[in-house]
């Protein structure tokens, strides 16, 4: 019999309250009964009701006195009390030995005791003393215990949802959104861990119990590991529900104890935890073994182990030892998302994934750039060699390595080498000015810099360059350790982002990782990439470079600067766990041996990493356009076809330029900008068998974290960005931070970056607490973007201003204008922008890339085409011809270049042969008011770009030339040039007669 009571079952009449409901003399609940309810609830002991009465009447009485929420199960009727107690035990999944029953009637108590001898029974007179009894007094009350009732009530909502769910049990589980977090048990977790060992009997592999002191010793032991698992789903938080105690025995990681709370027995999460433990053991080069000791209640755990792939090794009495071969996948775990923030090698870890592929397919092509092709074997050895030189230059886990290189094969090698050295890469384009780099170095402390020997950075101190011997440099790459003066006045990896949190060493437990402090006060000689002495000092190795390896998952993986389109560029710090979660969350279809990825975004932009890191962990080929190829869309399209790219990532602006030349991709992901509906339609027409994805995510959420499959045949007004990827969350919150249909988009989960380097204030403002996560320290990123959920539950990105602009008080959607223009047969691409000047009201300007550059459409033809599909205020005031869409450095549309070209070459204008002198004179005024010449004498002023503002400007010019000839109201009625010229002639002709009449009248008077 269990020592502790988990559930107290109450009778109602003459127990919880005085009197009998059916006799109409029931009183309010006894004050002492209320006190007992509250005190036991605070200790984690839940309550239920087993009573003879009318259910509706009893429930109404409980509601009237505010007690309904105190009971996790109500069994009210006319059957035996013992049957009601048994149903409660089954509903709450609590063993009968952990249930107590209180009733005023000795006959009822005797009936329960006879039928259920495990249940402890108490008289109503003993009620007040129950909180003082040892069976109702747990040694420690944990936070999980205090929330136990709420979790049972949430389970009731789950069960109701399951009972009304029309699909299969597996489909219901898949839709729960189960997320399990596994981490090392800290000091604050030990009491809950002890509580689990005491309270859990059925889902317990050995029946062992550990007190808090024993668990504390095991946690501190290098030969042991104590892990706790918490669980949540879309209905709420289950709290800590699992415990695993392992012992490291040479090549074996032995499970001394594995247990799961009975509350999650029907969730199928035991296999998911076992799969994670198997992966952890394999990552350490160990075999997972498990002890099992049979008890009267735990046979289900033996079934769980065998179902997970554990085979019997030996048996001694009741003790069995089972082992897993490490290669068999644990079935039926896909419905649980596993999060393990302190795992030494996360499932998506880029370095370990690269090494696995180097061992599996060493001769397969890993990287193509320019005229260089590197196999996985060559990429492995090349990155290991450069990583060794970085270590020789003083780089240690948690440091930052600045890579100032033009895009090419060496760039990716340098990035991976920094990661293999345990450091973070920071990629800077050589085109950055010295002042720009120095401003960023004021925020980011860098230990070393990697650069091309032919392009030494201008900002690098000369003392670090003078000793460089170019003759010994084979690859052209140079590693130079930075003196302190060249970088931020800080030291150590903690300076990357200024929100200090203790980091956990996955090998040493929860002991803080103390970065090695080094003297940066004096310049340090450069270490050329090919220097033989460096090779002798630090021998290249094919595995991660030794030192403080592996770095904690909270250590930075890379630092990336935002474009600064909304202000000063910010340096975002992304952790190794963030990067691993991004890789692990990718689930793109591919065929092994045929996966070839290409990004049209430069490596300095995080969108370039949407496919590449994932591809390197599964054996794909990464194609990197060189810095010369990248600006040339035609060259990139040719490269994609030449290398038979299967997976392409591009911004919508760049994809417009590529689409007609593509044949091979099986998957296209668009990101970085809103996807126009017209572009999606055109994609499906051009590449009907190519999967089209729309992905969304700011740099602060590690590349992308929300995605949507754009289906053929759909032409929504706004192409959705979809739903959060596994391990992430996306909330639309109003100003009061309450979820709604429309509002600001907040992102949470595994991919939320650490923050901004050297800017704790901005970090605190944008990275805010995530109360919905149910985990201490969980954060979400406030994007500043507006979004809404459509009727299908998908998110729609509305931009910073709902994706719309104001034109003369009306809201106009720029994508709709662009879509109409691109539907014109003579227009290849179109972009619409609002142009504002100091002396002119805002104008809608359309930039046109003609299908035939030598024969562009006329402005009049485009305006009339727009007039057929758009409202008058949506017709662009100006049309500017451009040769191609300008693409900025980050691969996005270069709006600054377009705005600078707003006065570019006009579209062809109609000839003015046959115009009268007055029409030519008036036409000059029209041209000045409209800012173009593309109109004929029979065109309406308002159909060629005129509006109420430009009419006023036209009238002012008419008044300057012919004062009083035409009223402004006439210009709205006489809206063609011919009509206005005729009215002007009549007005001017009438002026002499009017003058004469006025003179005669004056004489007569």
């Amino acid at each position: 019999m269990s020592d502790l009571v988990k559930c107290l079952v109450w009778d109602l009449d003459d127990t919880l309250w005085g009197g009998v409901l059916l006799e109409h003399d029931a009183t309010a609940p006894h004050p002492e009964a209320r006190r007992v309810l509250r005190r036991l609830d605070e200790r984690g002991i839940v309550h239920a009701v087993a009573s003879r009465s009318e259910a509706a009447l009893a429930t109404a009485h409980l509601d009237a006195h505010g007690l309904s929420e105190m009971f996790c199960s109500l069994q009210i009727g006319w059957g035996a009390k013992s049957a009601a107690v048994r149903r409660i035990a089954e509903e709450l999944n609590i063993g009968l030995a952990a249930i107590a029953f209180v009733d005023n009637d000795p006959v009822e108590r005797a009936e329960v005791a006879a039928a259920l001898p495990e249940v402890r029974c108490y008289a109503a007179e003993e009620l007040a003393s129950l909180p003082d009894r040892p069976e109702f007094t747990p040694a420690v009350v944990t936070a999980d215990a205090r929330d136990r009732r709420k979790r049972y009530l949430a389970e009731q909502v789950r069960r109701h949802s399951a009972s009304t769910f029309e699909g299969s049990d597996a489909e219901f589980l898949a839709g729960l959104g189960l997320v399990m977090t596994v981490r090392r048990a800290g000091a604050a977790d030990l009491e809950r861990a002890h509580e689990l060992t005491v309270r859990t009997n059925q889902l317990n592999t050995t029946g062992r119990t550990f007190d808090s002191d024993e668990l504390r010793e095991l946690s501190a032991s290098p030969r042991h590991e104590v892990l706790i698992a918490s669980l949540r789903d879309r209905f709420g938080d289950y709290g800590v529900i699992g415990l695993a105690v392992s012992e490291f025995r040479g090549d074996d990681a032995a499970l001394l104890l594995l247990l799961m709370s009975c509350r999650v027995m029907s969730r199928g999460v035991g296999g998911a935890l076992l799969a994670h433990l198997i992966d952890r053991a394999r990552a350490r080069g160990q075999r997972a073994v498990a002890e099992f000791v049979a008890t009267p209640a735990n046979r289900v755990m033996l079934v769980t182990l065998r179902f997970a792939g554990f085979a019997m090794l030996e048996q001694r009495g009741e003790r069995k030892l089972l082992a897993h071969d490490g290669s068999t996948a644990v079935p039926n775990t896909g419905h649980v998302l596993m999060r393990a923030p302190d795992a030494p090698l996360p499932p998506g870890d880029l370095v370990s994934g690269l090494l696995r592929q180097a061992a599996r397919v060493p001769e397969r092509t890993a990287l193509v750039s320019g005229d260089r092709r590197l196999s996985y074997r060559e990429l492995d050895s090349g990155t290991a060699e450069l990583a060794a030189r970085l270590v020789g230059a003083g780089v240690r886990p948690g440091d930052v390595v600045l890579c100032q290189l033009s895009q090419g094969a060496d760039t990716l090698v340098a990035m991976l080498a920094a990661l293999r050295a345990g450091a973070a890469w920071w990629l800077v384009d050589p085109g950055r000015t010295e002042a720009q780099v120095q401003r960023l170095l004021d925020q980011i402390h860098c230990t070393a810099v990697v650069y091309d020997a032919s392009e030494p950075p201008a900002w690098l101190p000369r003392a670090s360059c003078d000793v460089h011997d170019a003759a010994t440099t084979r690859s052209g790459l140079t590693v130079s350790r930075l003196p302190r003066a060249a970088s931020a006045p800080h030291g150590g990896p903690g300076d990357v982002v200024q929100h200090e949190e203790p980091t956990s060493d996955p090998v040493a437990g929860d002991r803080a990782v103390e970065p090695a402090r080094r003297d940066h006060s004096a310049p340090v000689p450069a270490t050329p990439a090919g220097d033989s002495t460096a090779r002798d000092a630090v021998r290249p190795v094919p595995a991660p470079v030794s030192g403080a390896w592996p770095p904690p998952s909270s250590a930075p993986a890379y630092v990336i600067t935002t474009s600064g389109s909304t202000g000063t560029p910010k340096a975002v710090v992304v952790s190794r766990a963030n990067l691993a979660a991004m890789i692990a969350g990718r689930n793109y279809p591919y065929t092994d041996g045929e996966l070839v990825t290409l990004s049209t975004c430069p490596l300095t932009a995080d969108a370039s990493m949407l496919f590449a890191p994932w591809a390197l962990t599964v054996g794909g080929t990464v194609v990197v356009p060189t810095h010369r190829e990248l600006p040339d869309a035609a060259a990139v399209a040719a490269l994609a076809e030449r290398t038979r790219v299967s997976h392409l990532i591009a911004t919508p602006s760049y994809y417009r330029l590529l689409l007609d030349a593509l044949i091979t991709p099986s998957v296209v992901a668009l990101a970085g900008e809103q996807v126009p509906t017209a572009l999606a339609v055109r994609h499906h027409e051009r590449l009907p068998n190519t999967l089209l994805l729309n992905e969304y995510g700011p740099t602060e959420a590690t590349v992308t974290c929300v995605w949507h499959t754009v289906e053929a045949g759909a032409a929504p007004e706004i192409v959705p960005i979809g739903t959060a990827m596994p391990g992430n969350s996306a909330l639309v919150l109003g100003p009061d931070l309450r979820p709604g249909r429309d509002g600001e988009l907040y992102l949470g989960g595994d991919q939320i970056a650490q923050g901004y380097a050297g800017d704790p204030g901005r970090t605190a403002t944008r990275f805010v607490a995530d109360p919905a996560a149910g985990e201490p320290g969980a954060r979400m990123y406030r994007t500043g973007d507006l979004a809404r959920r459509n009727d299908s539950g998908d998110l729609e990105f509305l931009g910073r201003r709902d994706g719309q602009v104001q034109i003369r008080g009306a809201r106009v959607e720029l994508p709709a204008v662009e879509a109409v223009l691109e539907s014109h047969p003579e227009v290849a691409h179109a972009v619409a922008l609002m142009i504002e000047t100091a002396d002119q009201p805002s104008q809608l300007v359309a930039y046109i890339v003609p299908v035939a550059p030598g024969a562009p459409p006329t402005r009049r033809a485009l305006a009339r085409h727009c007039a057929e599909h758009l409202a008058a205020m949506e017709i662009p005031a100006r049309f500017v011809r451009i040769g191609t869409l300008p693409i900025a450095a980050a691969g996005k549309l270069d709006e600054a270049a377009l705005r600078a070209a707003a006065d570019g070459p006009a579209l062809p204008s109609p000839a003015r042969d046959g115009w009268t002198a007055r029409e030519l004179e008036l036409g000059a005024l029209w041209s000045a008011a409209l800012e173009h010449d593309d109109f004929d004498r029979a065109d309406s002023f308002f159909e060629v770009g005129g509006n109420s503002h430009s009419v006023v400007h036209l009238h002012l010019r008419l008044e300057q030339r012919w004062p009083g000839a035409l009223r402004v109201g006439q210009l709205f009625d006489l809206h063609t040039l011919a009509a206005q010229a005729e009215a002007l002639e009549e007005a001017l002709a009438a002026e002499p007669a009017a003058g004469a009449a006025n003179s005669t009248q004056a004489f007569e008077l």
Side-chain angles (χ1 to χ4, degrees):
M1 180 176 291
S2 172
D3 292 333
L4 289 173
V5 170
K6 294 183 180 180
C7 176
L8 178 60
V9 180
W10 294 67
D11 174 48
L12 296 179
D13 292 334
D14 287 325
T15 301
L16 180 61
W17 53 66
V20 178
L21 278 174
L22 292 179
E23 296 178 4
H24 307 292
D25 61 354
T27 65
H30 297 306
E32 195 61 40
R34 285 182 178 273
R35 185 182 68 84
V36 172
L37 277 168
R38 298 293 179 188
R39 287 186 64 185
L40 297 186
D41 179 71
E42 291 169 357
R43 297 176 185 180
I45 297 171
V46 298
H47 301 283
V49 169
S51 181
R52 294 178 185 275
S53 186
E54 291 289 348
L57 191 62
T59 302
H61 200 64
L62 288 170
D63 286 342
H65 294 282
L67 290 182
S68 292
E69 289 295 311
M70 291 299 297
F71 295 97
C72 296
S73 179
L74 298 176
Q75 298 294 329
I76 303 172
W78 301 107
K81 292 282 184 74
S82 61
V85 172
R86 189 180 298 276
R87 288 195 297 272
I88 290 169
E90 292 172 353
E91 180 181 348
L92 302 184
N93 204 10
I94 294 176
L96 290 169
I99 290 181
F101 174 65
V102 59
D103 196 306
N104 70 299
D105 190 335
V107 175
E108 299 284 19
R109 297 197 301 273
E111 189 271 331
V112 170
L116 307 172
E118 308 99 315
V119 175
R120 282 164 280 195
C121 299
Y122 302 90
E125 302 87 72
E126 301 176 90
L127 191 60
S129 66
L130 293 186
D132 300 325
R133 293 174 178 263
E135 62 266 35
F136 290 93
T137 310
V140 175
V141 179
T142 64
D144 277 72
R146 285 189 288 271
D147 287 338
R148 187 166 289 129
R149 170 175 55 89
K150 297 176 182 177
R151 289 176 179 145
Y152 273 111
L153 294 175
E155 180 62 18
Q156 291 178 3
V157 178
R158 290 186 189 96
R159 289 180 179 176
H160 175 72
S161 179
S163 67
T164 58
F165 185 72
E166 296 181 356
S168 66
D169 291 343
E171 290 171 330
F172 178 75
L173 282 177
L176 274 178
L178 287 162
V179 179
M180 181 184 289
T181 299
V182 181
R183 57 185 172 84
R184 287 181 179 273
D189 302 308
L190 298 181
E191 295 298 343
R192 171 57 178 161
H194 162 66
E195 182 183 44
L196 279 171
T197 69
V198 173
R199 295 174 63 98
T200 305
N201 300 305
Q202 289 176 281
L203 303 184
N204 185 318
T205 54
T206 60
R208 298 181 65 172
T209 61
F210 293 101
D211 62 30
S212 299
D213 290 337
E214 289 174 312
L215 290 169
R216 188 171 291 106
E217 290 179 11
L218 291 169
S219 297
S221 167
R223 294 182 56 247
H224 294 85
E225 183 176 61
V226 180
L227 300 176
I228 60 170
S230 58
L231 190 70
R232 71 172 189 267
D233 65 14
R234 60 189 173 92
F235 291 102
D237 191 9
Y238 295 80
V240 175
I241 48 81
L243 174 69
V245 180
S246 298
E247 181 179 44
F248 303 137
R249 304 170 179 170
D251 292 335
D252 287 342
L255 264 175
L256 304 180
L257 173 66
L258 174 69
L259 60 81
M260 303 289 290
S261 170
C262 295
R263 292 184 291 115
V264 298
M265 181 179 285
S266 63
R267 295 291 172 259
V269 296
L273 180 55
L274 278 172
H276 177 66
L277 295 174
I278 294 166
D279 288 341
R280 286 178 70 87
R282 185 170 57 236
R284 289 188 296 261
Q286 293 177 310
R287 176 180 63 168
V289 300
E291 293 185 357
F292 177 81
V293 178
T295 69
N298 74 341
R299 178 171 173 76
V300 66
M301 289 304 283
L302 178 59
V303 175
T304 301
L305 288 169
R306 297 302 300 270
F307 191 68
F310 281 81
M312 193 71 67
L313 275 184
E314 62 181 55
Q315 181 170 357
R316 296 178 183 176
E318 293 296 324
R319 179 185 175 276
K320 297 178 176 66
L321 185 65
L322 303 94
H324 196 281
D325 62 11
S327 62
T328 305
V330 179
N332 301 332
T333 60
H335 66 292
V336 182
L337 174 65
M338 183 61 62
R339 296 181 60 189
D342 67 345
L345 293 173
D349 180 72
L350 178 52
V351 172
S352 57
L354 173 64
L355 298 182
R356 282 197 302 269
Q357 299 311 316
R360 184 178 75 93
V361 286
E363 301 309 318
R364 181 179 293 174
T365 300
L367 173 62
V368 175
S369 187
D371 58 358
R372 294 181 63 187
R373 283 178 174 265
L374 297 179
S375 67
Y376 270 93
R377 176 180 53 78
E378 292 168 329
L379 186 60
D380 174 18
S381 61
T383 55
E385 183 178 6
L386 184 56
R389 295 197 182 97
L390 288 170
V391 173
V395 172
R396 294 295 179 265
D399 286 355
V400 178
V401 175
L402 191 158
C403 306
Q404 184 156 331
L405 298 163
S406 297
Q407 178 155 316
D410 284 338
T411 314
L412 191 59
V413 169
M415 294 159 65
L416 292 171
L419 207 60
R420 290 192 69 166
W425 78 75
W426 172 32
L427 183 59
V428 175
D429 190 280
R432 289 252 191 182
T433 67
E434 182 176 349
Q436 289 174 328
V437 175
Q438 193 57 58
R439 277 199 300 270
L440 291 167
L441 283 170
D442 290 340
Q443 304 173 47
I444 308 165
H445 168 63
C446 297
T447 304
V449 58
V450 178
Y451 58 93
D452 191 314
S454 64
E455 295 182 279
W459 52 267
L460 192 65
R462 293 299 303 168
S464 294
C465 296
D466 289 343
V467 298
H468 170 63
D469 183 0
T472 64
T473 304
R474 296 176 302 167
S475 66
L477 290 184
T478 300
V479 175
S480 176
R481 179 170 167 179
L482 287 176
R484 184 183 182 100
S487 190
H490 310 295
D495 297 313
V496 174
V497 59
Q498 305 298 318
H499 68 278
E500 295 295 334
E501 295 178 358
T503 58
S504 296
D505 181 347
V507 174
D510 285 330
R511 295 186 294 275
V513 179
E514 178 64 25
R517 299 293 174 178
R518 299 179 293 284
D519 180 12
H520 295 271
S521 59
V524 179
T527 305
D531 190 291
S532 60
T533 59
R535 290 199 299 274
D536 293 338
V538 185
R539 185 176 68 256
V541 289
V545 177
S546 60
W549 186 273
S553 59
S554 59
Y558 64 87
V559 179
I560 189 165
T561 52
T562 63
S563 63
S565 58
T566 58
T568 304
K570 304 178 289 292
V572 180
V573 183
V574 176
S575 74
R576 300 176 83 91
N578 297 147
L579 178 58
M582 188 277 292
I583 295 171
R586 308 292 106 171
N587 189 26
Y588 305 112
Y590 75 98
T591 300
D592 188 34
E594 299 179 9
L595 172 61
V596 183
T597 74
L598 182 149
S599 173
T600 67
C601 303
L603 291 171
T604 50
D606 65 341
S608 65
M609 293 186 291
L610 194 151
F611 283 151
W614 163 73
L616 290 174
T617 64
V618 297
T621 299
V622 176
V623 178
V624 177
T626 66
H627 67 286
R628 292 186 178 88
E629 291 171 320
L630 199 58
D632 186 347
V636 171
L639 175 64
E641 292 309 303
R642 186 168 64 251
T643 56
R644 300 194 64 79
V645 165
S646 64
H647 290 58
L648 177 80
I649 170 68
T651 61
S653 297
Y654 205 110
Y655 190 54
R656 287 176 175 181
L657 308 178
L658 297 178
L659 181 52
D660 290 339
L662 296 177
I663 299 173
T664 61
S666 57
V667 177
V668 170
L670 301 180
E673 298 170 331
Q674 191 161 345
V675 176
T677 299
L679 180 61
V681 171
R682 204 169 131 226
H683 164 90
H684 287 298
E685 292 173 349
R686 180 72 181 79
L687 300 172
N689 298 319
T690 297
L691 175 69
L692 180 63
L693 299 171
N694 183 21
E695 300 202 16
Y696 165 89
T699 301
E700 291 84 349
T702 315
V703 191
T704 61
C705 58
V706 177
W707 60 357
H708 174 71
T709 298
V710 185
E711 301 288 352
E717 187 174 326
I718 297 177
V719 177
I721 57 175
T723 56
M725 294 179 181
N728 297 279
S729 64
L731 299 174
V732 178
L733 304 180
D736 57 356
L737 297 185
R738 293 182 181 275
R741 183 182 175 90
D742 303 86
E744 186 176 352
L745 186 57
Y746 287 73
L747 303 172
D750 300 329
Q751 294 181 211
I752 299 304
Q754 291 187 334
Y756 301 114
D759 196 342
R762 192 191 296 266
T763 297
T765 301
R766 302 305 295 272
F767 294 82
V768 297
D770 185 357
E775 298 172 13
R779 298 175 307 145
M780 55 184 177
Y781 174 66
R782 183 176 186 176
T783 67
D785 292 333
L786 300 180
R788 69 169 172 239
R789 289 199 184 275
N790 61 23
D791 294 338
S792 300
D794 288 322
L795 289 167
E796 294 179 347
F797 172 72
L798 304 178
R800 295 277 170 171
R801 297 180 180 176
D802 297 341
Q804 300 174 335
V805 295
Q806 288 271 9
I807 299 180
R808 301 189 301 280
R811 302 186 71 83
V812 174
E813 294 189 10
L814 298 180
V817 177
E818 294 167 352
V820 168
L821 285 168
E822 290 187 344
S823 68
H824 191 282
E826 297 179 62
V827 175
H829 310 296
V831 175
L833 290 179
M834 285 296 294
I835 303 296
E836 301 177 9
T837 61
D839 57 349
Q840 290 281 353
S842 299
Q843 285 189 322
L844 181 59
V845 178
Y847 297 84
I848 303 298
V849 179
V851 170
T858 66
R859 188 208 177 283
R860 180 171 42 173
L862 293 179
R864 287 178 174 173
H865 177 73
C866 289
E868 294 175 3
H869 304 279
L870 300 171
M873 74 285 295
E874 295 176 301
I875 300 173
R878 277 190 284 158
F879 293 82
V880 178
R881 181 177 59 189
I882 56 177
T884 187
L885 296 181
I887 304 298
K892 299 182 181 182
L893 186 70
D894 192 342
E895 289 193 9
L898 287 176
R899 294 181 186 279
D903 296 323
L907 294 172
S909 302
R912 298 187 177 180
D913 299 337
W915 285 30
T916 66
R918 188 70 69 196
E919 288 172 342
L920 289 170
E921 201 172 3
L922 183 58
L925 302 186
W926 270 45
S927 296
L930 294 170
E931 298 185 345
H932 68 81
D933 299 320
D934 186 21
F935 52 85
D936 208 340
R937 54 195 304 278
D939 288 332
S940 167
F941 183 82
F942 300 101
E943 291 181 357
V944 293
N947 53 53
S948 57
H949 293 289
S950 50
V951 162
V952 173
H953 284 285
L954 176 61
H955 185 255
L956 290 174
R957 288 176 169 82
L958 285 167
E959 282 292 291
Q960 291 173 353
R961 178 68 181 85
W962 300 291
L966 294 176
R967 302 184 310 277
V968 68
Q970 288 180 277
L971 301 182
F972 285 93
D973 298 325
L974 306 171
H975 45 76
T976 68
L977 187 141
Q980 290 179 8
E982 183 179 352
L984 183 59
E985 288 285 8
E986 292 176 356
L988 294 176
E991 281 184 0
N998 288 336
S999 299
T1000 303
Q1001 185 176 19
F1003 178 79
E1004 290 176 348
L1005 287 172

